[in-house]
Amino acid sequence: HNVPYLIHNALEGSLHSGMLMDTFIKKLTTQNVHFLFGCPVTEWHATDTNNIQVSTPRGALQTKRLLFCTNAF
């Protein structure tokens, strides 16, 4: 294959994922970012007020920004 660029990380897998997530969450909660763990999103759509309506089994919420994160499995 003709690949113009290749990134190699010799330290791949050497990060402590638990410590990384702990630091990440602490940093972002000080910036008023909210996390909802174990809360599946069943539906989302844009509203006419430039918000995003999010439906979950726990109820509905509105937000200006929405970020989905998975563990890639």
Side-chain angles (χ1 to χ4, degrees), residues 12-28:
E12 182 71 31
S14 64
L15 292 175
H16 188 298
S17 58
M19 290 176 68
L20 176 66
M21 287 305 299
D22 187 53
T23 302
F24 180 69
I25 292 166
K26 285 178 183 175
K27 172 80 172 165
L28 292 176

Side-chain angles (χ1 to χ4, degrees), residues 10-53:
L11 302 175
E12 182 71 31
S14 64
L15 292 175
H16 188 298
S17 58
M19 290 176 68
L20 176 66
M21 287 305 299
D22 187 53
T23 302
F24 180 69
I25 292 166
K26 285 178 183 175
K27 172 80 172 165
L28 292 176
T29 53
T30 65
Q31 297 176 17
N32 206 28
V33 174
H34 301 278
F35 295 87
L36 300 175
F37 296 103
C39 185
V41 172
T42 56
E43 183 181 351
W44 75 91
H45 65 273
T47 68
D48 56 359
T49 59
N50 294 324
N51 285 329
I52 302 168
Q53 176 77 32

